[in-house]
């Protein structure tokens, strides 16, 4: 009998130190029955890709409030690809202007959750889009 | 024939290691075959268990121990277990937060694991995950249990060397002579030794160990000299002759005391080899594992055969007190397991 659980890496890349949002989301995913690997603050793209690989996650969830998303996210998407982890959903939340969403999706980000998104929407998006193999 | 998955693990391909551990956790059909292929390559790693109450600093200590092994150029895998929520089935696995310095070192592999309802302090899949890491050639495997209370002693049957981590201020001296987790320590660590009360905690543990060490003791009691007999606690001399359980103070966040701890782990391993205890422990562990596998498989075969309605009828009779649980068990076994 296969007992599949969705595994999610939650990380904060870059230098901003506000992790309350990431913690709220982590808690909501836990309550939705997912296994959340919480790595904390100031993660480099290399650390995120390597942790995602070792933990064999289905989803990488990032929180960025610093405005560095256009710099960090394409690099993270690239590092995940190099680690053969590009099958994982890459989702991001934080302060991200609407006009940045399309280029981010172009760069490999699967979803951008703006401030005010309900945690239920995040849970539903993940459950619907995760590829369980 | 060796499948490509197990071959990749023998070549220490990180993606394959991570994948097989997922298969193991999920009871995926591919897991059993790969594990059987890898089995001849296991049994090499030194398994170090780290247990203790939540918040004593287990993850920080594991981080420091791993760093110390890396300075000696010894490869390290870490299996860090956190509890699964009994309500949602989800989990927050937060041990990596304390191990950020280790990420990116190819000689280190860290895997977080949820306990998924297992109560002994480990996850059901932990034993097989250890085999995967062992076959991949990691020389030391550090196993961090869930924050353990008093009876999460499964690690003692799994690891070769068990560190029980305490912190100052967590209990009086009666806590220290209770049965359970304190009996399984090969090494005691009093972490956060810069906090008030560390010396007292260490002294209490030492006294507890000495109480067990001498079979007879003379003490002054209400002014009269009395002789008392103390039975040996099972974790001591009779299990590993010649090993005196050390009590080591550390400050994991500063790395203080870690050198002494590393020496103690290394001495303990040597002692296990010299006394023949290492092979005894390995044998006991494998016997346990076989028994657990048989239990699970027999249970599975039995439950597939008993129709749900039959079971439901029998349970109704138990509720009505018209059948005893013992009689019910006999009926089921006679009808479906002969």
């Amino acid at each position: 009998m296969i007992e599949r659980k969705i595994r999610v890496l939650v990380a904060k890349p870059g230098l901003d130190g506000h992790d309350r949002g990431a913690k709220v989301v982590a808690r909501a995913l836990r309550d939705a029955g997912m296994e959340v690997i919480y790595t904390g603050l100031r993660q480099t793209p290399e650390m995120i890709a390597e942790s995602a690989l070792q933990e064999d996650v289905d989803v990488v969830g990032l929180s960025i409030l610093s405005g560095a998303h256009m710099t960090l996210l394409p690099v993270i998407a690239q590092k995940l690809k190099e680690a053969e982890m590009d099958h994982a959903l890459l989702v991001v939340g934080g302060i991200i202007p609407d006009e940045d969403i399309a280029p981010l999706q172009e760069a490999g980000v699967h979803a951008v959750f703006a401030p005010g998104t309900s945690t239920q929407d995040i849970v539903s998006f993940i459950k619907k889009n995760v590829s369980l193999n | 024939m060796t499948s490509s998955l197990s071959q990749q693990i023998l070549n220490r391909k990180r993606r394959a290691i991570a994948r097989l551990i997922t298969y193991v956790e999920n009871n995926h059909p591919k897991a059993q075959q790969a594990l059987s292929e890898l089995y001849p390559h296991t049994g090499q790693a030194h398994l170090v268990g780290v247990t203790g109450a939540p918040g004593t600093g287990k993850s920080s200590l594991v981080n420091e121990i791993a760093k110390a092994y890396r300075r000696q150029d010894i490869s390290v895998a870490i299996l860090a277990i956190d509890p699964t929520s009994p309500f949602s089935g989800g989990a927050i696995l937060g041990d990596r937060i304390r191990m950020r310095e280790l990420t990116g070192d190819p000689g280190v592999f860290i895997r977080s694991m949820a306990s998924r309802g297992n109560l002994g302090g480990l996850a059901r899949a932990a034993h097989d995950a250890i085999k995967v890491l062992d076959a991949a050639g990691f020389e030391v495997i550090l196993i961090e249990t869930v924050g353990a209370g008093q009876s999460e002693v499964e690690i003692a049957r799994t690891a070769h060397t068990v560190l029980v981590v305490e912190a100052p201020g967590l209990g009086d001296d009666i806590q220290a002579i209770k049965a359970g987790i304190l009996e399984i320590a090969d090494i005691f660590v009093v972490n956060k030794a810069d906090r008030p009360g560390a010396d007292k905690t260490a002294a209490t543990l030492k006294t507890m160990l000495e109480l067990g060490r001498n079979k007879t003791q003379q003490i002054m009691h209400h002014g009269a000299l009395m002789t008392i007999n103390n039975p040996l606690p099972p974790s001591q001399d009779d299990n590993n002759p010649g090993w005196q359980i050390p009590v080591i103070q550390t400050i994991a966040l500063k790395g203080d005391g870690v050198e002494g701890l590393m020496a103690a782990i290394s001495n303990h391993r040597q002692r296990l080899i010299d006394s023949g205890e290492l092979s005894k422990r390995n044998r006991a562990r494998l016997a346990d594992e076989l028994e657990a596998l048989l239990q699970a498989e027999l249970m599975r075969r039995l439950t597939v055969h008993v129709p749900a309605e039959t079971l439901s009828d029998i349970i109704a009779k138990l509720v009505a007190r018209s059948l005893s649980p013992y009689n019910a068990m006999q009926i089921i076994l006679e009808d479906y397991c002969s």
Side-chain angles (χ1 to χ4, degrees):
Chain A
M1 199 199 322
I2 300 183
E3 303 150 18
R4 196 70 173 84
K5 296 247 172 154
I6 298 174
R7 287 169 67 85
V8 187
L9 186 85
V10 171
K12 278 198 59 76
L15 295 175
D16 81 88
H18 302 277
D19 58 356
R20 188 170 170 83
K23 283 176 177 158
V24 168
V25 172
R27 171 74 198 266
L29 299 180
R30 183 202 81 175
D31 291 343
M34 301 180 200
E35 291 182 352
V36 181
I37 296 100
Y38 192 83
T39 57
L41 299 171
R42 288 183 271 281
Q43 300 282 309
T44 65
E46 289 78 9
M47 287 162 90
I48 290 167
E50 181 62 21
S51 298
L53 179 144
Q54 291 179 7
E55 301 289 355
D56 193 23
V57 292
D58 309 296
V59 184
V60 176
L62 306 173
S63 161
I64 308 178
L65 304 169
S66 61
H69 49 274
M70 295 303 279
T71 315
L72 288 167
L73 288 170
V75 183
I76 292 168
Q78 182 57 34
K79 295 284 171 197
L80 285 171
K81 194 168 180 185
E82 285 166 16
E84 297 172 60
M85 287 302 296
D86 47 339
H87 59 278
L89 276 184
L90 178 59
V91 299
V92 60
I95 318 278
I96 293 171
D98 288 347
E99 63 264 30
D100 289 347
I101 294 178
L104 285 177
Q105 284 175 333
E106 192 73 14
V109 176
H110 296 96
V112 176
F113 299 113
T117 308
S118 86
T119 52
Q120 196 48 54
D121 290 347
I122 300 174
V123 168
S124 311
F125 179 87
I126 290 175
K127 284 191 171 167
K128 194 164 146 225
N129 290 285
V130 81
S131 60
L132 295 180
N133 49 8
Chain B
M1 201 191 85
T2 312
S3 72
S4 62
L5 185 62
S6 26
Q7 193 52 54
Q8 286 175 25
I9 285 161
L10 294 174
N11 297 339
R12 221 193 259 196
K13 189 146 185 312
R14 302 163 85 76
R15 175 89 187 97
I17 298 170
R19 201 84 266 248
L20 182 53
I21 294 177
T22 304
Y23 287 159
V24 163
E25 284 197 283
N26 293 343
N27 261 336
H28 192 286
K30 281 186 189 164
Q32 282 197 14
Q33 193 203 342
L35 284 169
S36 295
E37 289 165 356
L38 291 174
Y39 188 71
H41 303 275
T42 62
Q44 306 302 314
H46 184 56
L47 311 182
V48 179
V50 181
T51 190
T56 46
K58 293 185 293 299
S59 301
S60 305
L61 201 61
V62 164
N63 183 46
E64 288 302 318
I65 295 171
K67 275 162 60 189
Y69 275 123
R70 293 305 296 142
R71 286 195 288 272
Q72 301 168 30
D73 206 26
I74 293 172
S75 59
V76 187
I78 298 170
L79 195 62
I81 300 150
D82 268 332
T84 291
S85 158
F87 302 109
S88 71
I92 303 259
L93 313 174
D95 295 317
R96 286 191 95 95
I97 299 171
R98 320 263 175 250
M99 302 175 190
R100 43 177 291 137
E101 300 159 278
L102 299 169
T103 312
D105 178 345
V108 177
F109 190 99
I110 307 172
R111 180 66 173 235
S112 316
M113 194 173 254
S115 64
R116 298 199 182 176
N118 195 42
L119 293 178
L122 295 179
R124 180 194 51 77
H127 299 95
D128 285 340
I130 291 165
K131 288 199 200 81
V132 177
L133 297 165
D134 190 348
F138 289 98
E139 293 158 274
V140 174
I141 302 174
L142 300 171
I143 306 145
E144 182 185 338
T145 72
V146 302
Q150 296 174 315
S151 58
E152 287 88 346
V153 295
E154 196 184 345
I155 188 68
R157 296 291 262 173
T158 307
H160 299 124
T161 301
V162 176
L163 315 187
V164 173
V165 185
E166 298 271 322
L170 288 181
D172 62 11
D173 49 356
I174 290 298
Q175 297 297 343
I177 55 171
K178 284 188 182 168
I181 199 167
L182 294 171
E183 291 177 88
I184 65 170
D186 296 307
I187 297 167
F188 275 115
V189 181
V190 177
N191 192 33
K192 307 191 184 185
D194 49 347
R195 298 259 177 110
D199 287 339
K200 184 165 181 279
T201 302
T204 306
L205 289 169
K206 280 182 191 150
T207 309
M208 183 268 291
L209 293 170
E210 275 154 18
L211 274 178
R213 201 165 286 146
N214 309 316
K215 274 195 169 155
T216 50
Q217 238 187 0
Q218 293 201 314
I219 55 161
M220 290 297 286
H221 186 68
H222 295 298
L225 191 65
M226 294 176 68
T227 303
I228 54 167
N229 287 309
N230 283 304
L232 284 168
S235 69
Q236 281 187 48
D237 315 347
D238 48 343
N239 267 4
N240 188 14
W243 177 250
Q244 295 207 333
I245 301 167
V247 179
I248 296 170
Q249 298 197 27
T250 58
I251 308 169
L253 290 182
K254 294 184 190 160
D256 287 8
V258 173
E259 224 166 280
L261 178 57
M262 296 304 289
I265 296 171
S266 160
N267 290 342
H268 182 254
R269 176 168 173 78
Q270 199 51 52
R271 185 67 231 160
L272 283 177
I273 295 168
D274 294 348
S275 66
E277 178 65 19
L278 190 71
S279 43
K280 264 198 265 173
R281 286 191 186 193
N282 280 332
R283 197 188 154 87
R285 188 181 73 238
L286 292 171
D288 271 4
E289 196 175 323
L290 179 61
E291 191 184 311
L293 277 179
L294 283 171
Q295 271 183 11
E297 181 59 18
L298 283 174
M299 195 60 205
R300 193 191 63 80
R301 288 189 187 183
L302 184 65
T303 42
V304 219
H305 286 128
V306 185
E309 312 87 72
T310 312
L311 197 59
S312 171
D313 289 348
I314 290 176
I315 292 168
K317 286 181 186 155
L318 295 181
V319 175
R321 298 295 190 273
S322 62
L323 192 67
S324 83
Y326 290 107
N327 292 336
M329 171 191 75
Q330 270 160 4
I331 289 170
I332 293 174
L333 287 182
E334 274 164 25
D335 289 358
Y336 299 100
C337 193
S338 49

